[in-house]
Structure formats: C-alpha cells, structure tokens
Amino acid sequence: MDGQELQKVANEYATKLPDVTFEHRDGPNWELYKVGGKVFMLMTDMPGQPVVILKADPDEAVGLREQYAEITTGYHMDKKHWITAAGGPSLDENLVKELVTDSYRLVVDKLPKSKRPVDPETNPAA
C-alpha cells in the first residue's frame, strides 16, 4: 500500500467512527481527526511521502515499530505515545483500520464518560 492509499483508507475509516470531527490546517499542511475535542489521528506529508500519525499504547508501539519497517515514532509528536505509518509493502487495509481503531479507543477511554460517543468496552466496532 502506498502513502496515498494509506491516507485514503485511514481517512475513510476514521470519518465513519462516531462523533469524529475533522480540521484542516495550512502551513504546514496538517489534517487533524478528533473525538471529544481530542486528536486521535493526523495526516501530513513528510518530505516526499504521505504519512498517518496515530496514538498508540506505548508497549504496542514498540512491537509495531519492530514488526513493520513502515511504522516509526510519532512525527512531531510524543515518541512514546504516537506512531507514524508510511506507505510500504507490509501495510494493508486491515492493519490500517486496526491502528485507527486503537488510536480512537485510546482517546475515547480518556474522555469523561459524559463526553464519550461510545463505550469502548461494549462497542467493539468503535
């Protein structure tokens, strides 16, 4: 999956999740995806390649970086809690959707219950 396809899949999937808002910022070009006012995914172009930046459990992030050459530390983000996915042969649509879901759930879990669009424990699709 190349970087353009990566961003397309991530965007289409993220925007279907409950209560997701989208914000575009110019200079530099960033696309932010939020739930409950908190960012769970960003997209931008690093020099020469489109990337998706996602929140990740720190322990899982280490494993993802070891398993996939296309996954590195968060670009311009906390290196422990964020990952960057770039296009490459190891990434597929299912993995991208799983990474987006995990990022979304991590943010929803930290929201006050009154602001949660879904209960991550009872709504596995979220």
PDB file of all heavy atoms in Angstrom, residues 39-74:
ATOM      1  N   VAL A  39      -7.351  15.038  19.694  1.00  0.00           N
ATOM      2  CA  VAL A  39      -6.796  14.464  18.460  1.00  0.00           C
ATOM      3  C   VAL A  39      -6.466  12.990  18.662  1.00  0.00           C
ATOM      4  O   VAL A  39      -5.845  12.607  19.648  1.00  0.00           O
ATOM      5  CB  VAL A  39      -5.519  15.219  18.034  1.00  0.00           C
ATOM      6  CG1 VAL A  39      -4.850  14.547  16.836  1.00  0.00           C
ATOM      7  CG2 VAL A  39      -5.834  16.673  17.722  1.00  0.00           C
ATOM      8  N   PHE A  40      -6.892  12.164  17.683  1.00  0.00           N
ATOM      9  CA  PHE A  40      -6.506  10.754  17.705  1.00  0.00           C
ATOM     10  C   PHE A  40      -5.758  10.347  16.433  1.00  0.00           C
ATOM     11  O   PHE A  40      -5.113   9.304  16.392  1.00  0.00           O
ATOM     12  CB  PHE A  40      -7.715   9.825  17.937  1.00  0.00           C
ATOM     13  CG  PHE A  40      -8.652   9.700  16.769  1.00  0.00           C
ATOM     14  CD1 PHE A  40      -8.495   8.678  15.837  1.00  0.00           C
ATOM     15  CD2 PHE A  40      -9.692  10.601  16.598  1.00  0.00           C
ATOM     16  CE1 PHE A  40      -9.360   8.557  14.764  1.00  0.00           C
ATOM     17  CE2 PHE A  40     -10.565  10.485  15.535  1.00  0.00           C
ATOM     18  CZ  PHE A  40     -10.404   9.463  14.609  1.00  0.00           C
ATOM     19  N   MET A  41      -5.818  11.203  15.393  1.00  0.00           N
ATOM     20  CA  MET A  41      -5.107  10.891  14.157  1.00  0.00           C
ATOM     21  C   MET A  41      -4.766  12.185  13.429  1.00  0.00           C
ATOM     22  O   MET A  41      -5.549  13.136  13.443  1.00  0.00           O
ATOM     23  CB  MET A  41      -5.976  10.012  13.253  1.00  0.00           C
ATOM     24  CG  MET A  41      -5.283   9.571  11.976  1.00  0.00           C
ATOM     25  SD  MET A  41      -6.267   8.386  11.009  1.00  0.00           S
ATOM     26  CE  MET A  41      -7.307   9.488  10.066  1.00  0.00           C
ATOM     27  N   LEU A  42      -3.588  12.201  12.821  1.00  0.00           N
ATOM     28  CA  LEU A  42      -3.169  13.322  11.992  1.00  0.00           C
ATOM     29  C   LEU A  42      -2.654  12.775  10.674  1.00  0.00           C
ATOM     30  O   LEU A  42      -2.135  11.656  10.627  1.00  0.00           O
ATOM     31  CB  LEU A  42      -2.027  14.101  12.654  1.00  0.00           C
ATOM     32  CG  LEU A  42      -2.287  14.661  14.037  1.00  0.00           C
ATOM     33  CD1 LEU A  42      -1.648  13.760  15.071  1.00  0.00           C
ATOM     34  CD2 LEU A  42      -1.722  16.048  14.150  1.00  0.00           C
ATOM     35  N   MET A  43      -2.765  13.574   9.630  1.00  0.00           N
ATOM     36  CA  MET A  43      -2.168  13.213   8.348  1.00  0.00           C
ATOM     37  C   MET A  43      -1.420  14.425   7.830  1.00  0.00           C
ATOM     38  O   MET A  43      -1.879  15.561   7.963  1.00  0.00           O
ATOM     39  CB  MET A  43      -3.227  12.773   7.346  1.00  0.00           C
ATOM     40  CG  MET A  43      -3.824  11.429   7.675  1.00  0.00           C
ATOM     41  SD  MET A  43      -4.734  10.637   6.348  1.00  0.00           S
ATOM     42  CE  MET A  43      -6.067  11.763   6.058  1.00  0.00           C
ATOM     43  N   THR A  44      -0.277  14.154   7.239  1.00  0.00           N
ATOM     44  CA  THR A  44       0.534  15.201   6.625  1.00  0.00           C
ATOM     45  C   THR A  44       1.450  14.541   5.614  1.00  0.00           C
ATOM     46  O   THR A  44       1.427  13.323   5.437  1.00  0.00           O
ATOM     47  CB  THR A  44       1.327  15.995   7.690  1.00  0.00           C
ATOM     48  OG1 THR A  44       1.875  17.169   7.084  1.00  0.00           O
ATOM     49  CG2 THR A  44       2.423  15.158   8.324  1.00  0.00           C
ATOM     50  N   ASP A  45       2.258  15.357   4.966  1.00  0.00           N
ATOM     51  CA  ASP A  45       3.277  14.834   4.066  1.00  0.00           C
ATOM     52  C   ASP A  45       4.631  15.166   4.661  1.00  0.00           C
ATOM     53  O   ASP A  45       4.974  16.344   4.805  1.00  0.00           O
ATOM     54  CB  ASP A  45       3.158  15.458   2.673  1.00  0.00           C
ATOM     55  CG  ASP A  45       1.928  14.983   1.926  1.00  0.00           C
ATOM     56  OD1 ASP A  45       1.451  13.878   2.232  1.00  0.00           O
ATOM     57  OD2 ASP A  45       1.448  15.722   1.053  1.00  0.00           O
ATOM     58  N   MET A  46       5.352  14.135   5.038  1.00  0.00           N
ATOM     59  CA  MET A  46       6.747  14.325   5.401  1.00  0.00           C
ATOM     60  C   MET A  46       7.467  14.537   4.078  1.00  0.00           C
ATOM     61  O   MET A  46       6.917  14.239   3.033  1.00  0.00           O
ATOM     62  CB  MET A  46       7.287  13.087   6.138  1.00  0.00           C
ATOM     63  CG  MET A  46       6.719  12.956   7.528  1.00  0.00           C
ATOM     64  SD  MET A  46       7.187  11.454   8.420  1.00  0.00           S
ATOM     65  CE  MET A  46       8.900  11.255   8.136  1.00  0.00           C
ATOM     66  N   PRO A  47       8.677  15.023   4.069  1.00  0.00           N
ATOM     67  CA  PRO A  47       9.349  15.254   2.786  1.00  0.00           C
ATOM     68  C   PRO A  47       9.254  14.043   1.854  1.00  0.00           C
ATOM     69  O   PRO A  47       9.824  12.992   2.106  1.00  0.00           O
ATOM     70  CB  PRO A  47      10.796  15.528   3.198  1.00  0.00           C
ATOM     71  CG  PRO A  47      10.666  16.105   4.578  1.00  0.00           C
ATOM     72  CD  PRO A  47       9.497  15.375   5.206  1.00  0.00           C
ATOM     73  N   GLY A  48       8.430  14.203   0.824  1.00  0.00           N
ATOM     74  CA  GLY A  48       8.317  13.184  -0.193  1.00  0.00           C
ATOM     75  C   GLY A  48       7.374  12.034   0.062  1.00  0.00           C
ATOM     76  O   GLY A  48       7.206  11.186  -0.796  1.00  0.00           O
ATOM     77  N   GLN A  49       6.742  11.963   1.240  1.00  0.00           N
ATOM     78  CA  GLN A  49       5.843  10.828   1.463  1.00  0.00           C
ATOM     79  C   GLN A  49       4.686  11.169   2.391  1.00  0.00           C
ATOM     80  O   GLN A  49       4.870  11.757   3.443  1.00  0.00           O
ATOM     81  CB  GLN A  49       6.598   9.621   2.000  1.00  0.00           C
ATOM     82  CG  GLN A  49       7.107   9.734   3.412  1.00  0.00           C
ATOM     83  CD  GLN A  49       7.838   8.470   3.831  1.00  0.00           C
ATOM     84  OE1 GLN A  49       8.364   7.744   3.005  1.00  0.00           O
ATOM     85  NE2 GLN A  49       7.872   8.206   5.107  1.00  0.00           N
ATOM     86  N   PRO A  50       3.466  10.770   1.988  1.00  0.00           N
ATOM     87  CA  PRO A  50       2.299  10.956   2.836  1.00  0.00           C
ATOM     88  C   PRO A  50       2.364   9.997   4.034  1.00  0.00           C
ATOM     89  O   PRO A  50       2.758   8.844   3.875  1.00  0.00           O
ATOM     90  CB  PRO A  50       1.122  10.595   1.931  1.00  0.00           C
ATOM     91  CG  PRO A  50       1.679  10.465   0.549  1.00  0.00           C
ATOM     92  CD  PRO A  50       3.127  10.211   0.690  1.00  0.00           C
ATOM     93  N   VAL A  51       1.979  10.493   5.207  1.00  0.00           N
ATOM     94  CA  VAL A  51       2.001   9.662   6.411  1.00  0.00           C
ATOM     95  C   VAL A  51       0.722   9.858   7.219  1.00  0.00           C
ATOM     96  O   VAL A  51       0.015  10.849   7.067  1.00  0.00           O
ATOM     97  CB  VAL A  51       3.224   9.958   7.315  1.00  0.00           C
ATOM     98  CG1 VAL A  51       4.528   9.614   6.617  1.00  0.00           C
ATOM     99  CG2 VAL A  51       3.221  11.396   7.802  1.00  0.00           C
ATOM    100  N   VAL A  52       0.469   8.876   8.088  1.00  0.00           N
ATOM    101  CA  VAL A  52      -0.632   8.933   9.050  1.00  0.00           C
ATOM    102  C   VAL A  52       0.006   8.784  10.423  1.00  0.00           C
ATOM    103  O   VAL A  52       0.824   7.891  10.655  1.00  0.00           O
ATOM    104  CB  VAL A  52      -1.649   7.802   8.797  1.00  0.00           C
ATOM    105  CG1 VAL A  52      -2.733   7.798   9.861  1.00  0.00           C
ATOM    106  CG2 VAL A  52      -2.257   7.934   7.410  1.00  0.00           C
ATOM    107  N   ILE A  53      -0.368   9.676  11.339  1.00  0.00           N
ATOM    108  CA  ILE A  53       0.185   9.680  12.689  1.00  0.00           C
ATOM    109  C   ILE A  53      -0.942   9.327  13.646  1.00  0.00           C
ATOM    110  O   ILE A  53      -2.009   9.948  13.614  1.00  0.00           O
ATOM    111  CB  ILE A  53       0.799  11.057  13.017  1.00  0.00           C
ATOM    112  CG1 ILE A  53       1.857  11.401  11.959  1.00  0.00           C
ATOM    113  CG2 ILE A  53       1.393  11.066  14.417  1.00  0.00           C
ATOM    114  CD1 ILE A  53       2.112  12.862  11.799  1.00  0.00           C
ATOM    115  N   LEU A  54      -0.700   8.314  14.487  1.00  0.00           N
ATOM    116  CA  LEU A  54      -1.745   7.765  15.344  1.00  0.00           C
ATOM    117  C   LEU A  54      -1.268   7.591  16.770  1.00  0.00           C
ATOM    118  O   LEU A  54      -0.093   7.299  17.015  1.00  0.00           O
ATOM    119  CB  LEU A  54      -2.161   6.388  14.814  1.00  0.00           C
ATOM    120  CG  LEU A  54      -2.730   6.374  13.401  1.00  0.00           C
ATOM    121  CD1 LEU A  54      -2.411   5.078  12.703  1.00  0.00           C
ATOM    122  CD2 LEU A  54      -4.216   6.624  13.447  1.00  0.00           C
ATOM    123  N   LYS A  55      -2.189   7.710  17.692  1.00  0.00           N
ATOM    124  CA  LYS A  55      -1.910   7.422  19.091  1.00  0.00           C
ATOM    125  C   LYS A  55      -1.780   5.907  19.234  1.00  0.00           C
ATOM    126  O   LYS A  55      -2.462   5.153  18.548  1.00  0.00           O
ATOM    127  CB  LYS A  55      -3.054   7.940  19.956  1.00  0.00           C
ATOM    128  CG  LYS A  55      -2.713   8.066  21.412  1.00  0.00           C
ATOM    129  CD  LYS A  55      -3.692   9.026  22.061  1.00  0.00           C
ATOM    130  CE  LYS A  55      -3.316   9.338  23.463  1.00  0.00           C
ATOM    131  NZ  LYS A  55      -2.127  10.141  23.610  1.00  0.00           N
ATOM    132  N   ALA A  56      -0.888   5.466  20.117  1.00  0.00           N
ATOM    133  CA  ALA A  56      -0.683   4.025  20.313  1.00  0.00           C
ATOM    134  C   ALA A  56      -0.292   3.751  21.754  1.00  0.00           C
ATOM    135  O   ALA A  56       0.359   4.567  22.389  1.00  0.00           O
ATOM    136  CB  ALA A  56       0.403   3.507  19.372  1.00  0.00           C
ATOM    137  N   ASP A  57      -0.707   2.603  22.239  1.00  0.00           N
ATOM    138  CA  ASP A  57      -0.268   2.141  23.552  1.00  0.00           C
ATOM    139  C   ASP A  57       1.258   2.024  23.477  1.00  0.00           C
ATOM    140  O   ASP A  57       1.789   1.436  22.535  1.00  0.00           O
ATOM    141  CB  ASP A  57      -0.904   0.791  23.857  1.00  0.00           C
ATOM    142  CG  ASP A  57      -0.379   0.204  25.139  1.00  0.00           C
ATOM    143  OD1 ASP A  57      -0.951   0.492  26.202  1.00  0.00           O
ATOM    144  OD2 ASP A  57       0.611  -0.557  25.067  1.00  0.00           O
ATOM    145  N   PRO A  58       1.989   2.571  24.456  1.00  0.00           N
ATOM    146  CA  PRO A  58       3.453   2.560  24.385  1.00  0.00           C
ATOM    147  C   PRO A  58       4.066   1.174  24.192  1.00  0.00           C
ATOM    148  O   PRO A  58       5.001   1.018  23.400  1.00  0.00           O
ATOM    149  CB  PRO A  58       3.886   3.174  25.718  1.00  0.00           C
ATOM    150  CG  PRO A  58       2.749   4.056  26.107  1.00  0.00           C
ATOM    151  CD  PRO A  58       1.517   3.343  25.619  1.00  0.00           C
ATOM    152  N   ASP A  59       3.539   0.165  24.874  1.00  0.00           N
ATOM    153  CA  ASP A  59       4.090  -1.186  24.715  1.00  0.00           C
ATOM    154  C   ASP A  59       3.797  -1.742  23.324  1.00  0.00           C
ATOM    155  O   ASP A  59       4.657  -2.382  22.712  1.00  0.00           O
ATOM    156  CB  ASP A  59       3.531  -2.124  25.790  1.00  0.00           C
ATOM    157  CG  ASP A  59       4.005  -1.742  27.183  1.00  0.00           C
ATOM    158  OD1 ASP A  59       5.127  -1.192  27.308  1.00  0.00           O
ATOM    159  OD2 ASP A  59       3.259  -1.978  28.152  1.00  0.00           O
ATOM    160  N   GLU A  60       2.599  -1.498  22.830  1.00  0.00           N
ATOM    161  CA  GLU A  60       2.248  -1.974  21.496  1.00  0.00           C
ATOM    162  C   GLU A  60       3.017  -1.212  20.422  1.00  0.00           C
ATOM    163  O   GLU A  60       3.372  -1.778  19.382  1.00  0.00           O
ATOM    164  CB  GLU A  60       0.745  -1.856  21.264  1.00  0.00           C
ATOM    165  CG  GLU A  60      -0.054  -2.836  22.111  1.00  0.00           C
ATOM    166  CD  GLU A  60      -1.553  -2.697  21.925  1.00  0.00           C
ATOM    167  OE1 GLU A  60      -1.992  -2.089  20.920  1.00  0.00           O
ATOM    168  OE2 GLU A  60      -2.282  -3.192  22.786  1.00  0.00           O
ATOM    169  N   ALA A  61       3.281   0.062  20.668  1.00  0.00           N
ATOM    170  CA  ALA A  61       4.017   0.877  19.700  1.00  0.00           C
ATOM    171  C   ALA A  61       5.415   0.310  19.464  1.00  0.00           C
ATOM    172  O   ALA A  61       5.887   0.255  18.324  1.00  0.00           O
ATOM    173  CB  ALA A  61       4.099   2.326  20.178  1.00  0.00           C
ATOM    174  N   VAL A  62       6.056  -0.141  20.522  1.00  0.00           N
ATOM    175  CA  VAL A  62       7.391  -0.732  20.382  1.00  0.00           C
ATOM    176  C   VAL A  62       7.318  -1.959  19.479  1.00  0.00           C
ATOM    177  O   VAL A  62       8.117  -2.117  18.552  1.00  0.00           O
ATOM    178  CB  VAL A  62       7.981  -1.103  21.770  1.00  0.00           C
ATOM    179  CG1 VAL A  62       9.249  -1.925  21.624  1.00  0.00           C
ATOM    180  CG2 VAL A  62       8.247   0.158  22.581  1.00  0.00           C
ATOM    181  N   GLY A  63       6.356  -2.829  19.726  1.00  0.00           N
ATOM    182  CA  GLY A  63       6.194  -4.033  18.919  1.00  0.00           C
ATOM    183  C   GLY A  63       5.880  -3.716  17.464  1.00  0.00           C
ATOM    184  O   GLY A  63       6.407  -4.365  16.548  1.00  0.00           O
ATOM    185  N   LEU A  64       5.029  -2.711  17.236  1.00  0.00           N
ATOM    186  CA  LEU A  64       4.688  -2.323  15.869  1.00  0.00           C
ATOM    187  C   LEU A  64       5.914  -1.808  15.121  1.00  0.00           C
ATOM    188  O   LEU A  64       6.132  -2.148  13.960  1.00  0.00           O
ATOM    189  CB  LEU A  64       3.588  -1.255  15.874  1.00  0.00           C
ATOM    190  CG  LEU A  64       2.198  -1.723  16.271  1.00  0.00           C
ATOM    191  CD1 LEU A  64       1.289  -0.532  16.578  1.00  0.00           C
ATOM    192  CD2 LEU A  64       1.591  -2.587  15.170  1.00  0.00           C
ATOM    193  N   ARG A  65       6.721  -0.997  15.807  1.00  0.00           N
ATOM    194  CA  ARG A  65       7.932  -0.471  15.165  1.00  0.00           C
ATOM    195  C   ARG A  65       8.929  -1.583  14.858  1.00  0.00           C
ATOM    196  O   ARG A  65       9.633  -1.520  13.854  1.00  0.00           O
ATOM    197  CB  ARG A  65       8.568   0.607  16.039  1.00  0.00           C
ATOM    198  CG  ARG A  65       7.751   1.891  16.086  1.00  0.00           C
ATOM    199  CD  ARG A  65       8.499   3.040  16.716  1.00  0.00           C
ATOM    200  NE  ARG A  65       8.933   2.787  18.070  1.00  0.00           N
ATOM    201  CZ  ARG A  65       8.260   3.114  19.163  1.00  0.00           C
ATOM    202  NH1 ARG A  65       7.086   3.702  19.054  1.00  0.00           N
ATOM    203  NH2 ARG A  65       8.738   2.863  20.353  1.00  0.00           N
ATOM    204  N   GLU A  66       8.972  -2.596  15.715  1.00  0.00           N
ATOM    205  CA  GLU A  66       9.878  -3.720  15.467  1.00  0.00           C
ATOM    206  C   GLU A  66       9.374  -4.613  14.333  1.00  0.00           C
ATOM    207  O   GLU A  66      10.164  -5.160  13.569  1.00  0.00           O
ATOM    208  CB  GLU A  66      10.049  -4.552  16.740  1.00  0.00           C
ATOM    209  CG  GLU A  66      10.849  -3.850  17.815  1.00  0.00           C
ATOM    210  CD  GLU A  66      10.867  -4.595  19.141  1.00  0.00           C
ATOM    211  OE1 GLU A  66      10.190  -5.632  19.280  1.00  0.00           O
ATOM    212  OE2 GLU A  66      11.557  -4.107  20.057  1.00  0.00           O
ATOM    213  N   GLN A  67       8.067  -4.753  14.210  1.00  0.00           N
ATOM    214  CA  GLN A  67       7.480  -5.662  13.227  1.00  0.00           C
ATOM    215  C   GLN A  67       7.359  -5.047  11.831  1.00  0.00           C
ATOM    216  O   GLN A  67       7.477  -5.752  10.829  1.00  0.00           O
ATOM    217  CB  GLN A  67       6.102  -6.115  13.707  1.00  0.00           C
ATOM    218  CG  GLN A  67       5.466  -7.171  12.835  1.00  0.00           C
ATOM    219  CD  GLN A  67       4.172  -7.704  13.426  1.00  0.00           C
ATOM    220  OE1 GLN A  67       3.762  -7.323  14.522  1.00  0.00           O
ATOM    221  NE2 GLN A  67       3.516  -8.573  12.700  1.00  0.00           N
ATOM    222  N   TYR A  68       7.097  -3.746  11.758  1.00  0.00           N
ATOM    223  CA  TYR A  68       6.838  -3.101  10.471  1.00  0.00           C
ATOM    224  C   TYR A  68       7.836  -1.971  10.214  1.00  0.00           C
ATOM    225  O   TYR A  68       7.889  -1.005  10.978  1.00  0.00           O
ATOM    226  CB  TYR A  68       5.419  -2.520  10.430  1.00  0.00           C
ATOM    227  CG  TYR A  68       4.344  -3.539  10.634  1.00  0.00           C
ATOM    228  CD1 TYR A  68       3.748  -3.726  11.888  1.00  0.00           C
ATOM    229  CD2 TYR A  68       3.908  -4.337   9.575  1.00  0.00           C
ATOM    230  CE1 TYR A  68       2.751  -4.668  12.075  1.00  0.00           C
ATOM    231  CE2 TYR A  68       2.905  -5.285   9.755  1.00  0.00           C
ATOM    232  CZ  TYR A  68       2.342  -5.443  11.010  1.00  0.00           C
ATOM    233  OH  TYR A  68       1.356  -6.380  11.185  1.00  0.00           O
ATOM    234  N   ALA A  69       8.556  -2.077   9.125  1.00  0.00           N
ATOM    235  CA  ALA A  69       9.529  -1.036   8.761  1.00  0.00           C
ATOM    236  C   ALA A  69       8.822   0.295   8.478  1.00  0.00           C
ATOM    237  O   ALA A  69       9.422   1.363   8.633  1.00  0.00           O
ATOM    238  CB  ALA A  69      10.329  -1.470   7.536  1.00  0.00           C
ATOM    239  N   GLU A  70       7.560   0.235   8.072  1.00  0.00           N
ATOM    240  CA  GLU A  70       6.799   1.441   7.724  1.00  0.00           C
ATOM    241  C   GLU A  70       6.284   2.200   8.947  1.00  0.00           C
ATOM    242  O   GLU A  70       5.761   3.296   8.816  1.00  0.00           O
ATOM    243  CB  GLU A  70       5.582   1.073   6.843  1.00  0.00           C
ATOM    244  CG  GLU A  70       5.934   0.440   5.533  1.00  0.00           C
ATOM    245  CD  GLU A  70       6.079  -1.083   5.612  1.00  0.00           C
ATOM    246  OE1 GLU A  70       6.086  -1.646   6.722  1.00  0.00           O
ATOM    247  OE2 GLU A  70       6.182  -1.718   4.570  1.00  0.00           O
ATOM    248  N   ILE A  71       6.405   1.620  10.122  1.00  0.00           N
ATOM    249  CA  ILE A  71       5.915   2.272  11.338  1.00  0.00           C
ATOM    250  C   ILE A  71       7.106   2.747  12.167  1.00  0.00           C
ATOM    251  O   ILE A  71       7.993   1.965  12.511  1.00  0.00           O
ATOM    252  CB  ILE A  71       5.008   1.326  12.148  1.00  0.00           C
ATOM    253  CG1 ILE A  71       3.764   0.993  11.316  1.00  0.00           C
ATOM    254  CG2 ILE A  71       4.612   1.962  13.486  1.00  0.00           C
ATOM    255  CD1 ILE A  71       2.799   0.026  11.968  1.00  0.00           C
ATOM    256  N   THR A  72       7.103   4.052  12.440  1.00  0.00           N
ATOM    257  CA  THR A  72       8.186   4.678  13.207  1.00  0.00           C
ATOM    258  C   THR A  72       7.577   5.500  14.344  1.00  0.00           C
ATOM    259  O   THR A  72       6.360   5.526  14.513  1.00  0.00           O
ATOM    260  CB  THR A  72       9.028   5.590  12.280  1.00  0.00           C
ATOM    261  OG1 THR A  72       8.174   6.594  11.714  1.00  0.00           O
ATOM    262  CG2 THR A  72       9.702   4.786  11.173  1.00  0.00           C
ATOM    263  N   THR A  73       8.425   6.196  15.086  1.00  0.00           N
ATOM    264  CA  THR A  73       7.931   7.043  16.173  1.00  0.00           C
ATOM    265  C   THR A  73       7.106   8.193  15.597  1.00  0.00           C
ATOM    266  O   THR A  73       7.222   8.536  14.424  1.00  0.00           O
ATOM    267  CB  THR A  73       9.095   7.620  17.010  1.00  0.00           C
ATOM    268  OG1 THR A  73       9.966   8.346  16.146  1.00  0.00           O
ATOM    269  CG2 THR A  73       9.856   6.533  17.722  1.00  0.00           C
ATOM    270  N   GLY A  74       6.291   8.791  16.447  1.00  0.00           N
ATOM    271  CA  GLY A  74       5.393   9.858  16.022  1.00  0.00           C
ATOM    272  C   GLY A  74       6.122  11.081  15.506  1.00  0.00           C
ATOM    273  O   GLY A  74       6.914  11.679  16.216  1.00  0.00           O
TER     274      GLY A  74
END
